[in-house]
């Protein structure tokens, strides 16, 4: 039995060839060559959606609500410049998040970095936390801030924030 997957129609339920159940959800996309069906489902957060990707090759027991087929609409056009901007922003954000994770550092060091980074610009230089590009917080305890002296009082400000954050962390 061949099933016609129309964008916008509602899949009530179905079972893949491996026996996994899928649905319910609205058909968001269908790729005929790979036989991958994308269902859009209500997300757990209000006004959000989750996507479910299903390999429907040899799927059985697929039940589509026939009343929704008439409301089906063509797939929306993709705004390529907007998609490219969103992709670049997502890559930039992922790189920034990855840069904030220290390599070969203790959990304490990462906790101290995360606490400092909430209020001050920080980066890793090996296992040393560099704050505002001029104050260093070194291990193994990560409890002392030393500065280069370029900005008067910078080391003292960082030391104060560091002591407050360490107290908040309970270390």
């Amino acid at each position: 039995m061949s099933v016609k997957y129309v964008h916008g129609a509602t899949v009530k339920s179905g079972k893949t060839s491996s026996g996994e159940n899928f649905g319910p959800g609205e058909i968001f996309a269908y790729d005929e060559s790979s036989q991958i069906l994308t269902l859009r489902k209500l997300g757990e957060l209000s006004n959000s959606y989750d996507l479910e990707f299903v390999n429907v090759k040899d799927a059985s027991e697929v039940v589509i609500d026939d009343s929704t087929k008439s409301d089906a609409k063509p797939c929306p056009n993709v705004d390529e410049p907007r998609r490219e901007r969103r992709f670049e922003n997502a890559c930039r954000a992922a790189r920034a998040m990855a840069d904030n994770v220290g390599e070969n550092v203790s959990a304490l060091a990462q906790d101290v970095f995360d606490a400092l980074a909430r209020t001050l610009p920080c980066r890793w230089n090996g296992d040393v936390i560099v704050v505002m590009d001029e104050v260093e917080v070194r291990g193994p305890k990560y409890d002392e801030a030393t500065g280069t002296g370029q900005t008067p009082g910078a080391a003292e400000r960082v030391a104060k924030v560091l002591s407050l954050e360490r107290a908040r962390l309970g270390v």
Side-chain angles (χ1 to χ4, degrees):
M1 173 178 114
S2 175
V3 179
K4 183 75 174 162
Y5 299 105
V6 181
H7 176 75
T10 301
V11 174
K12 290 183 178 180
S13 63
K15 187 176 279 198
T16 65
S17 60
S18 62
E20 295 178 51
N21 294 321
F22 63 91
E26 178 185 334
I27 296 176
F28 186 72
Y30 176 65
D31 181 45
E32 236 175 288
S33 63
S34 65
Q35 296 186 5
I36 299 292
L37 176 68
T38 305
L39 294 178
R40 185 173 86 153
K41 306 168 124 189
L42 282 176
E44 291 182 17
L45 301 173
S46 63
N47 297 325
S48 71
Y49 293 95
D50 294 330
L51 296 178
E52 179 180 11
F53 300 92
V54 182
N55 184 347
V56 291
K57 182 177 183 180
D58 302 324
S60 61
E61 304 175 26
V62 179
V63 179
I64 297 180
D65 185 355
D66 289 332
S67 67
T68 61
K69 279 187 178 179
S70 61
D71 296 334
K73 48 205 170 287
C75 289
N77 291 328
V78 176
D79 181 355
E80 284 298 325
R82 180 173 182 247
R83 184 200 59 78
E84 187 63 31
R85 282 191 310 274
R86 290 182 68 186
F87 177 74
E88 289 170 3
N89 289 340
C91 287
R92 199 171 12 266
R95 276 192 295 277
M97 284 178 54
D99 288 344
N100 286 342
V101 177
E103 293 182 26
N104 300 320
V105 298
S106 66
L108 170 65
Q110 189 63 54
D111 289 344
V112 169
F113 179 93
D114 293 340
L116 286 171
R118 279 194 292 275
T119 56
L120 299 167
C122 298
R123 64 178 172 81
W124 285 105
N125 183 10
D127 64 347
V128 176
I129 300 171
V130 179
V131 184
M132 300 186 316
D133 285 330
E134 59 182 87
V135 178
E136 293 183 346
V137 180
R138 295 183 175 272
K141 293 183 181 179
Y142 293 92
D143 60 351
E144 190 176 316
T146 56
T148 60
Q150 292 177 345
T151 304
E156 291 79 19
R157 283 195 308 270
V158 172
K160 184 169 183 159
V161 172
L162 178 62
S163 67
L164 292 171
E165 290 296 349
R166 285 181 58 86
R168 195 179 63 75
L169 289 170
V171 293

